[in-house]
């Protein structure tokens, strides 16, 4: 078996506080907030100069998560064109935790998947990448290494 679980779904928003309030009202809980930037972030998503804030929301049972992302740089792309970049408003991507990221990429490439950037390492914890899958859907993969 390749995937361990669905890790989270990310949505790019233009007002992070309003989005957090909306999903909190829906019953989700804020698990954490962070500012994301640096070479590893650029390399993972295939954009240059990434700077964004995220709020990780979780369902009350703790099994499902939603990552709300507010991009400051690069400038947010407008409404979803075909093959939209990772910082397009709306549904962003679905992430899956995998046992072997390299094997998974190789198998998905056989079905037309293309890396948006490359495989990046975040600290000593994860190897990460973004791929464009069928119908332009962005799929992220995460392999825990630490």
């Amino acid at each position: 078996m390749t995937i361990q679980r669905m890790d989270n779904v990310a949505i790019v928003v233009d007002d992070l506080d309003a989005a957090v309030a909306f999903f909190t009202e829906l019953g989700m809980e804020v698990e954490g907030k962070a500012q994301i930037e640096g070479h590893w972030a650029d390399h993972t998503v295939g954009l240059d100069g990434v700077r964004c804030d995220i709020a990780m929301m979780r369902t009350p049972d703790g099994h499902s998560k939603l990552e709300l992302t507010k991009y400051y740089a690069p400038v947010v792309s407008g409404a979803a064109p075909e093959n939209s970049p990772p910082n397009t408003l709306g549904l962003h991507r679905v992430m899956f935790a995998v046992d072997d990221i390299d094997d998974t990429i190789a198998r998905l490439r056989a079905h037309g998947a293309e890396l948006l950037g490359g495989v990046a390492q975040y600290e000593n914890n994860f190897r990460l990448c973004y791929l464009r899958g069928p119908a332009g859907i962005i799929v992220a993969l995460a392999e825990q290494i630490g």
Side-chain angles (χ1 to χ4, degrees), residues 42-60:
D42 293 356
H43 191 63
T44 300
V45 301
L47 296 170
D48 292 324
V50 169
R51 188 172 60 83
C52 63
D53 288 334
I54 65 168
M56 188 63 73
M57 309 289 295
R58 72 170 173 259
T59 55

Side-chain angles (χ1 to χ4, degrees), residues 97-118:
V98 299
D99 293 324
D100 182 336
I101 199 168
D102 298 313
D103 177 65
T104 304
I105 292 167
R107 287 185 297 105
L108 293 177
R109 278 186 168 153
H111 295 275
E114 299 176 340
L115 280 170
L116 295 184

Side-chain angles (χ1 to χ4, degrees), residues 11-131:
I11 300 175
V12 175
V13 299
D14 58 357
D15 185 336
L16 187 59
D17 292 335
V20 167
F22 174 86
F23 287 103
T24 299
E25 182 65 29
L26 190 60
M28 298 187 84
E29 303 168 14
V30 176
E31 184 174 81
K33 292 183 177 183
Q35 186 173 63
I36 305 298
E37 60 187 332
H39 176 72
W40 74 269
D42 293 356
H43 191 63
T44 300
V45 301
L47 296 170
D48 292 324
V50 169
R51 188 172 60 83
C52 63
D53 288 334
I54 65 168
M56 188 63 73
M57 309 289 295
R58 72 170 173 259
T59 55
D61 66 3
H63 295 295
S64 299
K65 296 180 185 178
L66 183 65
E67 178 185 302
L68 303 173
T69 306
K70 164 68 176 169
Y71 276 88
Y72 299 101
V75 175
V76 174
S77 175
E82 186 173 337
N83 292 326
S84 58
N87 60 336
T88 302
L89 290 173
L91 184 61
H92 181 190
R93 55 107 177 117
V94 178
M95 178 174 271
F96 295 96
V98 299
D99 293 324
D100 182 336
I101 199 168
D102 298 313
D103 177 65
T104 304
I105 292 167
R107 287 185 297 105
L108 293 177
R109 278 186 168 153
H111 295 275
E114 299 176 340
L115 280 170
L116 295 184
V119 178
Q121 184 167 321
Y122 174 67
E123 298 178 350
N124 290 320
N125 299 321
F126 294 96
R127 293 181 70 220
L128 306 157
C129 72
Y130 278 32
L131 301 110

